[in-house]
Amino acid sequence: MNSALSDLYYSLSAGLNGLAGPLHGLANQECLTWVIATRDRFNGVPTREQLEKYAWETLESGHVVPGYGHAVLRITDPRFDAFLDFGKKYCADSDVFQIVERVFEVVPTVLNR
């Protein structure tokens, strides 16, 4: 990320800003929309079993689970790991955060079947 020996702040912000724009930025919006729809459907944080079933329903309807539809996503993006650690420290009580964390635990096993 910092192979040009640039200022570390510039390198980190470039990595995060790489998520902007109609392709990646829209993907982030679609992820958040799916997470909020999940929260609304289950009136809060779904159980692992409910989330697994919901992920299957999403896939069987011909859609992807946002954030897991790209072939390159076989390993976790290090930026996500950093945001997950941040969320555990600062917003662990948030329904949205808890759903994102649970999706991270459940959906990869669904996709590997």
Side-chain angles (χ1 to χ4, degrees):
M1 194 184 260
N2 194 16
S3 62
L5 301 178
S6 180
D7 181 276
L8 184 59
Y9 172 80
Y10 296 143
S11 295
L12 291 172
S13 62
L16 293 174
N17 288 330
L19 298 174
L23 295 177
H24 288 80
L26 183 58
N28 288 335
Q29 291 172 339
E30 289 175 356
C31 287
L32 184 57
T33 298
W34 191 84
V35 167
I36 290 172
T38 301
R39 181 191 62 189
D40 293 347
R41 177 178 176 150
F42 296 102
N43 295 316
V45 181
T47 66
R48 284 175 175 72
E49 294 78 18
Q50 289 172 320
L51 187 55
E52 181 176 341
K53 183 178 178 189
Y54 188 52
W56 277 115
E57 288 174 11
T58 300
L59 295 169
E60 290 168 352
S61 72
H63 296 93
V64 298
V65 176
Y68 293 91
H70 197 288
V72 174
L73 299 176
R74 299 292 181 243
I75 60 169
T76 305
D77 186 319
R79 295 171 291 194
F80 177 79
D81 292 333
F83 284 127
L84 188 64
D85 290 342
F86 180 89
K88 288 177 181 178
K89 185 173 182 179
Y90 294 105
C91 59
D93 294 337
S94 163
D95 284 354
V96 170
F97 174 76
Q98 290 174 17
I99 292 169
V100 168
E101 185 176 32
R102 188 154 295 163
V103 166
F104 178 64
E105 296 167 357
V106 172
V107 170
T109 61
V110 169
L111 297 175
N112 284 325
R113 290 187 191 167

